[in-house]
Amino acid sequence: MSDDTKTDPDTKNEPETKNEPDKSEPDTTTEKPEIPPRRRTPLIVAAVAVVAVIAIVVAFLATRGSDDESATESGGDTTSVRIGEVAGNAAKPTTIDVPVVEAIRKKVPQEILDRGTLKIGQGALPAGFPPLAFVGTDNKTLTGTEPDLGRLIAAVLGLKPELNNATWENLFVGLDAGTSDVAISNVTDTEERKQKYDFASYRQDNLGFATVGASTWEFGGDYRTLDGLKVAVGSGTNQEKILLEWQAKLKAEGKKLDVKYFPDNAATWTALESGQIDAYFGPNPGIAYQIAGTGDTFRNAGTFSGAGASLQGLIAATTKKDSGLVEALADAINYLIENGQYATWLKTYGLSNEAVEKSEINPPGLPLENQ
Amino acid sequence: MTTTATPAAIAADPPAPPQDPLATRKVAPRRRYGRWVVTAIVLALTVEAVRALAANPAYQWDRISYYFTLDVVLDALLVTLEVTAVSAVVGFVGGVILALGRMSGNPLVNALSWAYIWFFRSLPLVVLLIIIFNASLFFPRVGINIPFGPSLVSYDVDGLLVPFVAAVVGLSLNEAAFAAEIIRGGLLSVDHGQIEAANALGLSPWRRLRQVVLPQALRSIVPGYVNQLIGLVKASSLVYYVSLVDLFGIVYQLESTHVSDKVAILLVGTAWYLLLAAVLSVLQHYVERHYSRGWEVRR
Amino acid sequence: MTTTEKTEKTVEGVRVRNAHKSFGPHAVLKGIDLDLAPGTVTVVIGPSGSGKSTLLRTLNHLETLDLGYVSVAGELIGVREHNGRLHELSPRQVRRQRARIGFVAQSFNLFPNLTVAANVAEPLLAHKVAGWDAAYTKAYELLDRVGLKHRCTDYPRQLSGGQQQRVAIARALALEPDLLLFDEPTSALDPELVGEVLAVIKELARSGRTLVIVSHEIGFARDVADHVVFIDGGVVVEQGPPAQVLDHPQNARTREFLGKVR
């Protein structure tokens, strides 16, 4: 009877539903299910990854050329070197003409001449130390007294300057391994370093103590005034060595000097301003620059020679010992001194008071034991 | 038994409601007063924080937009991305090899994998980068004129190749060690019955890994690994130790050059890193969804 | 089966000799000898911990024996003979042997990341027995035989337990093995789903393949088995035709076990 069809709730019309568990067996359809396409997703992902890796490495090498040294133009034998470019407050851009000097160029090792570039190491990572070496206002170019001197020296030697930036410690590693031919980065001539490197001096090394403007403390050339102070210094530097020796001497006398380290220049000045430290012991030009730029915030509390109490400290161009380059460097610097470009360079940066009369090869430096 | 039933009997499914009012009205929900108070406080704090953030001139919003899209910043961002991407891939491959090594029956392979993982997980990344930089300066000197493209022939590659390669090598070595344990955890989490079934079907170990174990393990691996990746993005900030300037390096440099814009620059750096992490998290979502195919709860 | 087929032992079935296996200090198989005729259905029963699952797994070398050997159709499983001693086969050789033995586990163990069809096609693709299209075509045929062709694009999790087990059986049949092993195929299923799986197994039983089934479905054993083996404490306590072992057990332990299970 027709009653059944109305009242039986169980039969549904075609249990075609795929995503529900069917309680009844399906009707046998004769349709053939489609064969799914061959999915090669993992293979594709792997291939893309490999290609991407190779592409990135290649692209990196091809597009990131070494620093484009557009700050120099060679017109035959004379190069117009632009110094003080994008240096902000540190210097006004100036152009200096530097001829190529064949006699000096002959003294450069053949390998460098063949290469045509002079690899100049800078220790300005992660942040530089104006006005000596820092990234300029265009945020790209290394500028300051040190890179600029490098450019001038390269011009004398008829080589293209290539600036290699590194952390301070890696600066010396670069010299050892040959990544840099010469380091021109406010490196002090010391007896200890002379064991591994050759020096051609080019500037006085004067260190200074910076304090906040309100402080009345004076260094007065006597390390004993440091008793009870917290002083910051750069790690691995010449001035660190001096300061640590004073700390040892004070300790022997029952006094105390606290030496603090900060990761970079900016952090140090902030710490000084906030009172975290009492003084900063560092290169005098840097201190002078900072003071000049910030009004009364800081003051200079005294200077000291980078070579100790008895000797004038010297900043020198540094190369690996017996690399054969040091003579050419000294001659080039002397040429610049004799022909006025040196004076112009220092004047541009306001450091004429740090001039030396001539460039010396391996002059006496900070003694192994500070007197 | 007759199947006829009166319509009234069918419609009368629910029993006639009793007349008791208590039983007929829904239960009144509990008023959560504490929750209201907390909500009000949190809301007030949030609004105040956002307002303070937006209004504070120290944040220098105009300078932020300048630095956010500055060309040197974007270049450095690209460096970060490149270094991270290459290290992530190489680190993952290394991690898979090490994980399989740790699970190997060969005692020597097992021990070597363990030693690698122990060493590179313990050694601080900074120290590793310094060691590599010192060492790598000597190795690539040996005949390294790679003929990739015409522009490379004219100047020597040393200055470029070394920092990028040193950074990638250091990050990859470090990454592989951490990835290995994450991957091994994922591999172990695969039900043993799966392995037994694969063995019973005579699948080779490679086929078994590819078709059965790895796809299932990846479900557990992905969250942990993306965690690692985000860490890698941040760890890449150390590459200035090998003279490679990345996003962090440029931020550092900019804020020491432009001291008056320090806060804006730091915020820009923060924003970019947050953005990178967010992108990775979104990608993670899609990857996890792909690998969860088949795991949806049935019915 | 005709009597001539039974007495003609030109093709050997499953033979187990002196099987011993211990897991650490715990001895699970303590000397088992079996001769199972080809084309027959053997149901292995016994209490839990008796070693029946372990025994089953030695038949396709998923477990190795400490002592003794297993042979299927005259071929030693997992080992070869040389100079009177047994030597382990290489993993590749073992895999090839396993391709000729189908195995269905209690917990189905379908690959959750693959569709139902992909699961069944996997052994064919892995052993390079068929190309992509041919493998899937074969998979659909097998799924049709177990009545699940219409679920071929679903994932295992979307199927009921009984359906999953049927897919597992289809997958085990993909390489056309002569020997099929079942480890408690219905123990993980809800009671109402047991029937559909047993129906499939019954059909296989009639197909002339050799089946060895570990199960506690006594009624099923009675229906389908040609031979019943009762294992307890790592040894064969009693074996014989179902009518004898199940209905008129000779051994007291058998009687005790059956009494608990009924």
Side-chain angles (χ1 to χ4, degrees), chain A residues 76-95:
Chain A
D77 295 316
T78 305
T79 321
S80 293
V81 181
R82 291 203 287 278
I83 64 168
E85 286 280 312
V86 299
N89 299 339
K92 230 169 39 149
T94 311
T95 309

Side-chain angles (χ1 to χ4, degrees), chain A residues 228-366:
Chain A
L229 292 183
K230 291 197 280 277
V231 181
V233 76
S235 158
T237 58
N238 181 46
Q239 51 271 30
E240 183 201 17
K241 180 169 188 290
I242 295 172
L243 197 65
L244 289 175
E245 278 170 358
W246 284 336
Q247 184 187 46
K249 280 204 203 145
L250 283 169
K251 190 155 173 228
E253 292 169 21
K255 304 205 176 93
K256 185 163 170 303
L257 165 61
D258 216 346
V259 176
K260 294 265 181 230
Y261 296 93
F262 292 90
D264 71 292
N265 219 25
T268 314
W269 289 105
T270 312
L272 185 60
E273 193 178 350
S274 66
Q276 239 187 312
I277 49 172
D278 300 309
Y280 166 55
F281 186 42
N284 206 41
I287 293 174
Y289 172 79
Q290 190 70 20
I291 290 173
T294 53
D296 295 325
T297 320
F298 304 107
R299 63 178 265 277
N300 194 317
T303 57
F304 192 73
S305 158
S310 48
L311 202 57
Q312 172 57 51
L314 290 171
I315 298 289
T318 317
T319 72
K320 197 166 163 187
K321 201 171 178 58
D322 300 325
S323 63
L325 189 55
V326 71
E327 227 189 290
L329 290 171
D331 285 352
I333 296 167
N334 281 324
Y335 179 85
L336 293 168
I337 292 175
E338 285 154 22
N339 290 277
Q341 293 101 335
Y342 175 84
T344 313
W345 167 66
L346 282 180
K347 186 144 173 274
T348 311
Y349 282 96
L351 292 175
S352 302
N353 60 314
E354 299 209 333
V356 292
E357 281 183 11
K358 62 184 176 75
S359 169
E360 297 169 72
I361 295 180
N362 290 325
L366 179 73

Side-chain angles (χ1 to χ4, degrees), chain B residues 7 11 21-22 31 36 73 82 89 99 103 134 139 164-165 176 222 254 269 274-275 278:
Chain B
L22 266 185
R31 303 270 145 159
W36 289 359
V73 170
E82 287 168 338
V89 171
M103 295 167 76
N134 281 255
F139 294 136
F164 185 71
V165 169
V222 167
L254 287 171
L274 285 175
L275 203 61

Side-chain angles (χ1 to χ4, degrees), chain A residues 3 39 56 58 60-61 64-65 119 125-127 135 139-140 165-167 170 173 177-179 263-264 270, chain B residues 4 70-72 79 82 133-134 137 141 148 152 155-156 160 164 240-241 243 252-254 256-258 262 293:
Chain A
D3 293 345
R39 261 203 270 176
I56 286 175
V58 171
F60 200 90
L61 300 177
R64 272 154 225 279
K119 295 196 281 197
L125 276 182
V135 172
N139 299 317
K140 282 193 259 245
N165 206 357
T167 60
N170 284 345
V173 174
T179 310
D264 71 292
T270 312
Chain B
T4 52
L70 191 59
D71 59 345
V72 284
V79 171
E82 287 168 338
F133 188 64
N134 281 255
L137 283 173
R141 288 255 153 201
F148 269 136
L152 295 184
Y155 56 77
D156 54 346
L160 303 162
F164 185 71
Y240 72 88
Y241 269 101
S243 294
Y252 212 144
Q253 198 177 85
L254 287 171
S256 60
T257 314
H258 306 275
K262 185 186 279 221
R293 251 180 348 168

Side-chain angles (χ1 to χ4, degrees), chain B residues 194 196 201 207 211 294 298, chain C residues 57 110 113 122 127 157:
Chain B
Q194 293 291 308
E196 190 185 65
L201 291 170
R207 180 100 192 170
Q211 294 287 103
R298 67 180 165 126
Chain C
R57 280 174 171 72
L110 293 179
N113 51 304
E122 177 63 19
H127 288 272
R157 282 265 174 131

